[in-house]
Amino acid sequence: MPDDPSVGELGRMVDAMRAEFRDGMAAINSRLDRLVSVEVYSLQSAHTDQRITAQSQDIQKLRDAYDALEESFHAYQRDERDRRERDRQARLYQLIVPGLLALLATAVSIWSVVS
């Protein structure tokens, strides 16, 4: 039985295995200490979902406001274009009508003198 370990060797092997087991458990515990519990994770996920939903609503409000502002700007541009056209026509009529009346008055004066 020379290949069989002695009682002292068996005791040292058991002690070494216990030490390895303790080291392994300590490593597992240190990793578990860094993990988040399921309750904390679910609360954090719910909070994140609420924040994402709130951000989405804020973004939609900003998009709606931007669209309204853009439509308002286009309406302003159309109104300004129409106002300028009316002003241009008014200036044109203010120049042409008195000129035509002056020409007509001149023509009537000349016609009355001639006849």
Side-chain angles (χ1 to χ4, degrees):
M1 295 206 234
D3 294 335
D4 290 338
S6 68
V7 175
E9 287 178 16
L10 285 175
R12 285 189 293 274
M13 288 166 96
V14 168
D15 286 339
M17 288 175 65
R18 281 184 183 166
E20 273 185 49
F21 181 74
R22 269 189 244 118
D23 292 343
M25 290 304 288
I28 289 173
N29 284 335
S30 69
R31 287 183 183 170
L32 287 176
D33 287 343
R34 287 184 276 153
L35 294 178
V36 177
S37 70
V38 173
E39 293 84 16
V40 171
Y41 177 76
S42 63
L43 287 173
Q44 197 172 21
S45 296
H47 178 68
T48 302
D49 290 342
Q50 289 173 351
R51 284 180 36 215
I52 289 173
T53 303
Q55 292 294 325
S56 297
Q57 290 172 351
D58 289 345
I59 289 171
Q60 187 60 43
K61 287 177 186 176
L62 289 173
R63 282 183 184 160
D64 293 343
Y66 176 77
D67 291 342
L69 181 63
E70 193 170 314
E71 180 58 36
S72 173
F73 180 68
H74 288 305
Y76 169 76
Q77 284 181 328
R78 283 191 304 269
D79 293 345
E80 187 65 20
R81 183 190 64 223
D82 293 344
R83 183 191 65 78
R84 286 180 183 165
E85 180 63 25
R86 284 191 306 272
D87 288 349
R88 186 187 67 79
Q89 288 178 357
R91 281 193 305 268
L92 182 67
Y93 293 141
Q94 288 172 354
L95 290 174
I96 291 177
V97 170
L100 288 176
L101 286 176
L103 185 64
L104 180 65
T106 306
V108 168
S109 310
I110 292 175
W111 183 63
S112 65
V113 170
V114 172
S115 45

